[in-house]
């Protein structure tokens, strides 16, 4: 009875999922960071990554499997995200006057961020694949939860006062999974 809907929905979701061909990329672009790196693969006795002065990332694995490559790239991505997203969140907290107690970085499949009542803001490392304006909006969204732990009219009013063009950024964020490469989820 629901076959048409299920097939249509499966087609829509397949457009949002990363392509398998991206599991051993030749280049990685972190839009939030504003930089791209070409990737050189090497065989070694242990998995590692080395970032050089030029925008080249050397990825060393023992067997060169998709999983090993993905896990090595994830360690590199997490390091980049910790530095970049942490600095950006600190800047926005100072700029907006909305504080937080702790930052956690996670790799989640369905959430871009969250804020706990204790003031812990969790951000998805996949934000590194989004445009800086989208990342800023998400951070403002989470910081505003420090004042309103809901999505009330007062909450959205606060968001709009800090990010007047938030609606198209919210739509872009919802479609942002299209920019996340397959290797992020080995």
């Amino acid at each position: 009875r629901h076959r048409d809907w299920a097939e249509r929905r499966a087609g829509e979701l397949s457009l949002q999922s990363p392509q398998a061909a991206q599991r051993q990329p030749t280049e990685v672009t972190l839009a939030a960071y504003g930089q791209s790196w070409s990737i050189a693969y090497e065989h070694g006795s242990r998995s590692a990554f080395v970032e050089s002065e030029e925008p080249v990332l050397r990825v060393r694995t023992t067997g060169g499997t998709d999983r090993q490559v993905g896990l090595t790239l994830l360690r590199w991505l997490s390091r980049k995200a910790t530095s970049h997203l942490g600095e950006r969140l600190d800047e926005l907290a100072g700029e907006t006057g909305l504080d937080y107690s702790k930052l956690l970085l996670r790799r989640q499949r369905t959430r871009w961020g969250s804020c706990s009542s204790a003031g812990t803001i969790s951000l998805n490392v996949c934000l590194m694949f989004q445009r800086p304006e989208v990342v800023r909006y998400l951070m403002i969204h989470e910081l505003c939860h420090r004042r309103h732990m809901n999505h009330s009219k007062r909450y959205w009013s606060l968001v709009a006062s800090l990010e007047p063009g938030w609606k198209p950024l919210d739509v872009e964020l919802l479609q942002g999974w299209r920019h996340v490469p397959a290797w992020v989820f080995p």
Side-chain angles (χ1 to χ4, degrees):
R1 187 175 98 199
H2 300 287
R3 179 182 298 231
D4 290 342
W5 174 86
E7 288 174 352
R8 188 175 62 253
R9 189 67 183 128
E12 290 169 1
L13 291 174
S14 72
L15 291 174
Q16 294 179 7
S17 65
Q19 301 299 314
Q22 297 174 334
R23 294 208 179 270
Q24 292 198 24
T26 56
E27 181 179 81
V28 173
T29 299
L30 301 181
Y33 200 75
Q35 190 170 349
S36 294
W37 291 261
S38 60
I39 299 179
Y41 293 98
E42 301 173 351
H43 182 76
S45 58
R46 65 183 181 90
S47 295
F49 60 85
V50 177
E51 193 176 328
S52 63
E53 293 284 326
E54 41 195 78
V56 174
L57 179 64
R58 298 194 178 287
V59 174
R60 185 178 315 126
T61 60
T62 57
T65 67
D66 289 351
R67 181 164 175 72
Q68 288 175 334
V69 167
L71 292 173
T72 303
L73 286 170
L74 269 174
R75 285 198 321 271
W76 171 77
L77 176 65
S78 294
R79 184 174 293 173
K80 287 290 191 194
T82 298
S83 171
H84 182 72
L85 296 177
E87 288 172 11
R88 261 327 268 136
L89 187 61
D90 284 345
E91 289 170 11
L92 279 171
E95 182 183 311
T96 62
L98 299 168
D99 66 338
Y100 68 99
S101 60
K102 184 166 91 172
L103 171 64
L104 292 178
L105 290 170
R106 297 181 174 165
R107 177 182 48 113
Q108 298 172 291
R109 291 180 183 265
T110 59
R111 299 186 101 180
W112 291 110
S114 63
C115 180
S116 75
S117 58
T120 299
I121 292 183
S122 296
L123 298 176
N124 193 326
V125 296
C126 296
L127 282 169
M128 295 297 286
F129 299 102
Q130 309 309 312
R131 293 185 316 114
E133 297 84 359
V134 174
V135 175
R136 174 187 159 83
Y137 158 68
L138 185 273
M139 289 180 177
I140 286 174
H141 181 105
E142 299 309 335
L143 285 168
C144 286
H145 281 307
R146 293 294 294 132
R147 189 129 339 127
H148 304 284
M149 287 300 294
N150 54 40
H151 289 109
S152 65
K153 286 183 181 180
R154 290 179 15 193
Y155 167 83
W156 287 113
S157 190
L158 179 59
V159 170
S161 72
L162 298 170
E163 188 62 61
W166 70 269
K167 287 183 181 181
L169 295 171
D170 190 61
V171 170
E172 187 175 340
L173 185 61
L174 290 174
Q175 297 172 354
W177 295 106
R178 295 177 185 179
H179 305 297
V180 179
W183 57 260
V184 173
F185 297 103

